[in-house]
Amino acid sequence: MRYSEIFLPTVREVPSDAEIISHQLMIRAGMIRKLTSGIYSYLPLGYRVMQKLERIIREEMNRSGAQEVFMPMVQPRELWEESGRWSHYGKELLRFRDRNERECCLGPTHEEVITDLVRNEIKTYRHLPKNLYQIQTKFRDEIRPRFGVMRCREFSMKDAYSFDANEEGVDISYKKMFDAYCRIFERCGLKFRAVEADTGSIGGSFSHEFMVMADTGEDAICFCRNCEYAANLEKAEIAMPERRQISIEEFLPLELVHTPNMKSIDEISAFLHVAPKDVVKTMIYSADATPVAVLVRGDEVINEIKVRNYLGCDILEMAADNMIYDVTGAPRGFAGAVGIKARTIADYSLMNMINFIMGANKEDYHVKNVNIGRDVSVEAFADLRIVHDADLCPRCGRPLKFARGIEVGHVFKLGTKYSKAMNATFLDKNGREQYMMMGCYGIGIGRTVASAIEQNHDANGIIWPMPMAPYHVIITPVNVNDESIKRISEDLYKALLEKGIEVILDDRDERAGVKFKDADLIGIPLRITIGQKSLSNGKIEVKLRRSGEVKILAMDRVEYFVINYINEGM
Amino acid sequence: MRYSEIFLPTVREVPSDAEIISHQLMIRAGMIRKLTSGIYSYLPLGYRVMQKLERIIREEMNRSGAQEVFMPMVQPRELWEESGRWSHYGKELLRFRDRNERECCLGPTHEEVITDLVRNEIKTYRHLPKNLYQIQTKFRDEIRPRFGVMRCREFSMKDAYSFDANEEGVDISYKKMFDAYCRIFERCGLKFRAVEADTGSIGGSFSHEFMVMADTGEDAICFCRNCEYAANLEKAEIAMPERRQISIEEFLPLELVHTPNMKSIDEISAFLHVAPKDVVKTMIYSADATPVAVLVRGDEVINEIKVRNYLGCDILEMAADNMIYDVTGAPRGFAGAVGIKARTIADYSLMNMINFIMGANKEDYHVKNVNIGRDVSVEAFADLRIVHDADLCPRCGRPLKFARGIEVGHVFKLGTKYSKAMNATFLDKNGREQYMMMGCYGIGIGRTVASAIEQNHDANGIIWPMPMAPYHVIITPVNVNDESIKRISEDLYKALLEKGIEVILDDRDERAGVKFKDADLIGIPLRITIGQKSLSNGKIEVKLRRSGEVKILAMDRVEYFVINYINEGM
């Protein structure tokens, strides 16, 4: 492509509304433009990168045995009623009525549509397993779209759905997708980790997120350097501590203390001259409208995702003042477990605590020397708090490492969640009707492109990994009005095109400095500079975008070097 | 692909709700399934055909110099206000509000978005011309979706938009697209015609439709066998007839005749013992709310598209009773041009008529011996009627042919319609601000696939043109439980795969008859039958789907034959 012809509007200034580097660089490199809040157009350079990624995805999905389909974005309410998500999904599901007043939504994901399709067509185990995927536009009406295509409302996604006859089947399908995802991100040239993750609103029994590692990532993850364990921070498990032998003789007498207006752990511990770890926090939640008290050591933080999963409830929220008053008999800030009228669960951090301090269920009072068993009855000890850097690997007990990443892929074992709700059954070998076992698997296309930039850039712009680069080479004649420079540039351009190399010829009548800046900004891996100085020695300059290294090559060596360098990077 | 693994649910029965053959066959061949009214999912076989077409389109669009982008489906009201189409588009534009109560629509086309994108980025003639295209999902809320993907609500479209600095530029861009479209449909292996067409709601100065020829087509077209002329029937021109010398002596005296309750041309002509061609129809229209009388010979039919284009009005509709009464002084059914209080235009068919009959503008009366000039004043004679088979080619005067077709592509020269409305300007060579000259160019992806079927099928199913075939070859072992049949089938399958041939191995344990029926239904160009009978002679049977011809080939000749046959068909 000739630079003079390509629609590639680069921008020198950092756009004021772009907070993160990938958003800034995608605007500046002329890859995307905003149409309206959270909705972007992809320009030719941006779309080329998307297509590179899509091609890798298709090859690996097909290799895994998945088959490509294409499902609609506009979906009827009825299907979403069947799965129960019409009422559960929240406002990210954009609902509207068509001209005939039929209620529809814009698909944020396609479990309903694919389950409907498959239940209508597959009736016997002989037609299972199947794995169907598409690359298609989704819409999620984010309350606060931000970070460019990283958290936008309309976006392209590869979503796949597997259907199996039994548990072993879905485990194989899941593993195939897990492996395909590893190959996809590897082939993209990205540094990534697969981590255990929460299943969120999609539901299902377990899941992994694929994280592109980047310091600027929204997600925190932890992983073990010793074993394979890796998890999203919100999911990361904490092993049950060993239970210490506690003798009742150690228990001190319960004691009410006046703590006027002291509600926070910090206030209490300072006032009573103890450490936060000697105090217990009692949090009252409304779990599907039923009160539950959750206890955690004062220096730890409750992980609500773990609480929700433990309770198996749909909606978990902090209890309102009246619910707190109902179960504690006191206003907010003085809740404790002694005599509480609610189901009570305790984090593992309480398991070996004795003689601790907690709210007295009485305004302006706490109690000291509380002991589980004697004063407080706990339904169970469980893993209910957020992991931190003092924690150890739940698998092997070695120290955990923490890092940040960007979620670009997510694989879920759904089990029968949707097949039960939507009655997707088949006849097994014995002629018995069974629910299909499902998995679902997503990759955000635009997100992956943006994450590649978060991971691969410098002060001058993007540094594309070769497999995602929109073009491999940019030829920069330093002066297009010089006949010999022009001729050699054109000849090289044609020679590289003939070899199937994706190349831009920067034929613009601009200063060399402007051209260099644009080449760096758009991140083309190789820049070939054609100027009088090196030409006079029969040499050509090739600059490697990633290392900044400059090679001075004999003219007849350039083609060979370029082809080799590209192949090595693929 | 192994048939046992592919998701390819074929159906023997003709679906009751499918009226046209392509709809029936796309359902029966497992290509599509309906999600809801006018909205379809593409299954693997259907999506493969779409991808074949998309690839050809991309190659030819890129070859023409167009660049691929990807624009959003959800679009803000503001842009559509700028172009004036928010109020003009009608109910096919699906409008809704997002969670923040912002008004949006689902893009039925992208003139607004692309014009906005380009006006923000291109400021000088040096960055023109540009032609940007996408393959993307559109939504048009059809009042009566029907015929499967032929007239559906959600569909995939290739749409391109060109921007030029001047009239010559846009003509070149238009010609490039016209040529690219010819190459695309040629490469698809389709019989098609480019015909002159009306510009409809998109607007602009002229346009061509690309019609895939099929007897079942919705559109009627006419064309000249002698010259290049071809047009959509609604657009087809009628040449101005030669004007006959008319002498006032021929005029007979005007005569009022009582025609009780006779309103139609047939009633009048029968009652007065004349031919319909001796009577003149006077139709009163409301053109943007102004009354206009249109005169046409009694045996001809007014073409409202021509009337609207002649008048240059936005909305043309039959006048309401009160408007008719206002301009004629009589109720509907007796309108005539004598003394009418409205602008009056006449079709060419009136040009040489004398002493004709028309309504008297008086209930239950007509007038005889009306003559233009003496009794009636006509603003102009123009081409205002529908063409029919007695008409001659407007270019060369030879007889016209008529045929039916399906519109699969449409190219428009828009001129400055959108750039003016949306202020898309650039600075020309002289530093003067100018409006960009635009063109827009669409191809319906699903429609083209369906039209290919309308044009290529028989009683047994689809007959894919090679370039669109989802697979080129299907290998049919007549009995998968026979070891030698199985081995030879598998070997051939692998050999063809290695040559890059797209092949299905029908490894199902089904009767040969079932397999043959499916192979015919899904339309694979070559079926290789592996059975004991021919094998025992060292032969293999290859059946050509299109001609039905069966070749008995020596085993070692099959590969060569297959590769040759495919290459010839591409």
Side-chain angles (χ1 to χ4, degrees), chain A residues 184-386:
Chain A
I184 288 166
F185 297 116
E186 254 159 45
R187 282 188 57 188
C188 287
L190 298 174
K191 289 184 279 291
F192 71 97
R193 271 182 189 276
V195 304
E196 294 180 13
D198 186 57
T199 53
S201 73
I202 301 279
S205 41
F206 66 85
S207 80
H208 282 89
E209 284 168 349
F210 285 78
M211 295 280 188
V212 166
M213 307 312 296
D215 294 341
T216 50
E218 267 197 299
D219 284 285
I221 68 167
C222 67
F223 58 95
C224 178
R225 284 264 169 99
N226 183 54
C227 74
E228 291 289 291
Y229 187 75
N232 191 309
L233 213 65
E234 64 183 28
K235 168 78 177 179
E237 294 164 31
I238 295 158
M240 185 167 76
E242 263 183 74
R243 190 184 277 272
R244 188 166 70 84
Q245 273 301 11
I246 297 173
S247 146
I248 298 179
E249 278 94 75
E250 297 177 65
F251 291 177
L252 300 176
L254 205 59
E255 188 183 319
L256 196 67
V257 288
H258 189 218
T259 50
N261 238 335
M262 313 243 163
K263 297 183 179 182
S264 77
I265 295 293
D266 284 346
E267 287 166 344
I268 297 297
S269 50
F271 183 71
L272 298 178
H273 304 294
V274 296
K277 72 175 176 50
D278 299 321
V279 184
V280 165
K281 262 187 283 201
T282 306
M283 306 292 285
I284 316 291
Y285 286 95
S286 159
D288 293 342
T290 302
V292 177
V294 181
L295 313 183
V296 69
R297 207 171 67 192
D299 59 340
E300 301 286 4
V301 179
I302 289 177
N303 181 334
E304 295 186 356
I305 291 169
K306 289 182 177 178
V307 174
R308 199 190 58 217
N309 289 343
Y310 177 84
L311 296 172
C313 61
D314 279 331
I315 298 168
L316 183 82
E317 26 185 33
M318 301 294 294
D321 287 349
N322 58 343
M323 183 183 274
I324 292 175
Y325 197 89
D326 282 352
V327 298
T328 67
R332 181 184 297 279
F334 301 95
V338 184
I340 197 165
K341 285 177 274 178
R343 192 177 161 186
T344 303
I345 54 177
D347 178 64
Y348 285 150
S349 53
L350 263 73
M351 221 163 76
N352 293 319
M353 284 180 82
I354 57 168
N355 299 325
F356 51 81
I357 295 161
M358 67 179 359
N361 293 338
K362 182 176 176 189
E363 187 163 7
D364 288 344
Y365 282 91
H366 279 72
V367 273
K368 280 172 77 167
N369 302 329
V370 181
N371 284 289
I372 292 168
R374 183 188 70 182
D375 314 309
V376 163
S377 159
V378 157
E379 175 187 311
F381 291 101
D383 173 13
L384 301 174
R385 70 172 171 89
I386 288 177

Side-chain angles (χ1 to χ4, degrees), chain A residues 1 4-9 11 33-37 39-44 47 50-51 58 65 67-76 79 91-92 94-100 102 104 106 113 116-118 121-122 126-127 129-130 132 135-139 141-143 153-154 156 510, chain B residues 1 4-9 11 33-37 39-44 47 50-51 58 65 67-76 79 91-92 94-100 102 104 106 113 116-118 121-122 126-127 129-130 132 135-139 141-143 153-154 156 510:
Chain A
M1 194 84 198
S4 61
E5 291 173 7
I6 196 170
F7 182 50
L8 174 44
V11 178
R33 288 295 181 264
K34 183 160 108 173
L35 174 61
T36 186
S37 170
I39 301 182
Y40 290 83
S41 293
Y42 280 82
L43 276 51
Y47 197 59
M50 275 179 80
Q51 286 182 306
R58 285 199 166 95
Q67 296 172 56
E68 190 163 3
V69 297
F70 194 66
M71 291 181 278
M73 62 187 196
V74 174
Q75 306 179 4
L79 277 186
K91 286 195 169 178
E92 279 186 25
L94 185 75
R95 292 151 229 243
F96 55 88
R97 287 163 190 270
D98 69 11
R99 70 187 292 171
N100 292 312
R102 280 183 298 235
C104 310
L106 285 185
V113 175
D116 177 56
L117 182 63
V118 168
E121 305 299 337
I122 294 187
R126 283 182 295 119
H127 294 156
K130 287 283 175 287
L132 303 172
I135 295 179
Q136 191 260 8
T137 300
K138 309 279 180 243
F139 195 91
D141 206 356
E142 282 274 349
I143 185 138
R153 299 198 292 162
E154 184 174 326
S156 183
E510 293 276 8
Chain B
M1 194 85 195
S4 61
E5 291 173 6
I6 196 170
F7 182 51
L8 174 44
V11 178
R33 287 296 182 263
K34 184 159 107 172
L35 174 61
T36 186
S37 171
I39 301 182
Y40 290 83
S41 293
Y42 280 82
L43 275 51
Y47 197 59
M50 275 179 78
Q51 285 181 307
R58 285 199 166 96
Q67 297 173 58
E68 191 165 3
V69 298
F70 195 66
M71 292 180 278
M73 62 188 196
V74 174
Q75 306 178 5
L79 276 187
K91 284 194 168 179
E92 281 187 24
L94 185 74
R95 292 152 229 243
F96 55 89
R97 287 163 191 270
D98 70 10
R99 72 186 292 171
N100 292 314
R102 278 183 300 235
C104 310
L106 286 185
V113 175
D116 177 55
L117 181 63
V118 169
E121 304 299 338
I122 293 187
R126 283 182 296 118
H127 293 156
K130 287 284 175 288
L132 303 172
I135 295 179
Q136 190 260 9
T137 299
K138 309 279 181 243
F139 196 91
D141 205 355
E142 282 274 349
I143 186 139
R153 298 198 294 164
E154 184 174 325
S156 182
E510 293 278 7

Side-chain angles (χ1 to χ4, degrees), chain B residues 199-443:
Chain B
T199 52
S201 73
I202 300 278
S205 40
F206 65 86
S207 81
H208 283 90
E209 284 168 350
F210 285 78
M211 295 281 188
V212 166
M213 306 313 295
D215 295 341
T216 50
E218 267 196 298
D219 285 286
I221 69 165
C222 67
F223 58 95
C224 178
R225 284 262 169 99
N226 184 54
C227 75
E228 291 287 293
Y229 187 73
N232 192 310
L233 214 64
E234 65 183 30
K235 168 76 177 179
E237 295 164 30
I238 295 159
M240 185 167 76
E242 262 182 74
R243 191 185 276 273
R244 189 166 70 84
Q245 273 301 14
I246 296 172
S247 145
I248 297 175
E249 277 96 76
E250 297 176 67
F251 291 177
L252 299 176
L254 203 62
E255 188 182 320
L256 195 67
V257 288
H258 189 220
T259 51
N261 240 333
M262 314 241 163
K263 297 184 178 178
S264 77
I265 295 293
D266 285 344
E267 286 164 345
I268 297 298
S269 52
F271 183 73
L272 299 178
H273 305 293
V274 297
K277 72 175 177 47
D278 300 320
V279 185
V280 164
K281 264 187 282 199
T282 305
M283 307 292 285
I284 316 290
Y285 285 96
S286 158
D288 294 343
T290 301
V292 177
V294 181
L295 313 183
V296 70
R297 209 169 67 191
D299 59 339
E300 301 286 5
V301 180
I302 289 176
N303 181 333
E304 294 186 357
I305 291 168
K306 288 182 177 177
V307 175
R308 199 191 56 219
N309 289 343
Y310 177 84
L311 296 172
C313 62
D314 278 332
I315 297 168
L316 183 81
E317 28 188 29
M318 301 295 294
D321 287 348
N322 58 345
M323 183 183 274
I324 291 176
Y325 197 90
D326 283 351
V327 298
T328 68
R332 181 185 298 277
F334 301 94
V338 183
I340 196 166
K341 284 179 274 177
R343 191 177 163 187
T344 303
I345 53 177
D347 178 63
Y348 285 149
S349 53
L350 263 72
M351 221 164 76
N352 293 319
M353 282 179 83
I354 58 169
N355 302 324
F356 52 80
I357 296 161
M358 67 180 356
N361 291 340
K362 182 175 177 190
E363 186 161 11
D364 288 344
Y365 282 90
H366 279 72
V367 273
K368 282 171 77 170
N369 303 327
V370 182
N371 283 288
I372 293 169
R374 184 188 71 183
D375 314 310
V376 162
S377 156
V378 157
E379 175 186 310
F381 291 100
D383 173 13
L384 302 174
R385 69 173 172 89
I386 289 177
V387 76
H388 51 65
D389 53 12
D391 285 311
L392 301 174
C393 172
R395 298 278 184 278
C396 74
R398 305 284 281 273
L400 286 173
K401 291 269 173 194
F402 290 78
R404 299 201 74 81
I406 301 158
E407 183 202 336
V408 291
H410 207 153
V411 294
F412 293 89
K413 179 175 164 181
L414 291 172
T416 55
K417 178 180 155 103
Y418 292 91
S419 51
K420 266 191 182 150
M422 298 181 65
N423 203 32
T425 62
F426 66 97
L427 294 182
D428 70 11
K429 280 185 183 157
N430 306 312
R432 276 194 302 249
E433 200 171 9
Q434 303 274 8
Y435 291 114
M436 296 186 196
M437 296 288 291
M438 290 173 58
C440 75
Y441 317 94
I443 293 178

Side-chain angles (χ1 to χ4, degrees), chain A residues 128-184:
Chain A
L128 294 174
K130 287 283 175 287
N131 186 340
L132 303 172
Y133 77 99
Q134 62 176 349
I135 295 179
Q136 191 260 8
T137 300
K138 309 279 180 243
F139 195 91
R140 294 182 189 166
D141 206 356
E142 282 274 349
I143 185 138
R144 199 162 76 85
R146 57 197 183 280
F147 306 148
V149 298
M150 196 75 97
R151 189 163 289 282
C152 56
R153 299 198 292 162
E154 184 174 326
F155 57 97
S156 183
M157 185 170 160
K158 189 287 299 169
D159 46 330
Y161 306 88
S162 68
F163 295 83
D164 277 276
N166 50 40
E167 193 84 27
E168 302 93 75
V170 68
D171 287 343
I172 292 168
S173 294
Y174 186 93
K175 179 70 166 48
K176 276 189 187 170
M177 280 298 97
F178 188 95
D179 293 344
Y181 276 36
C182 289
R183 288 196 305 270
I184 288 166

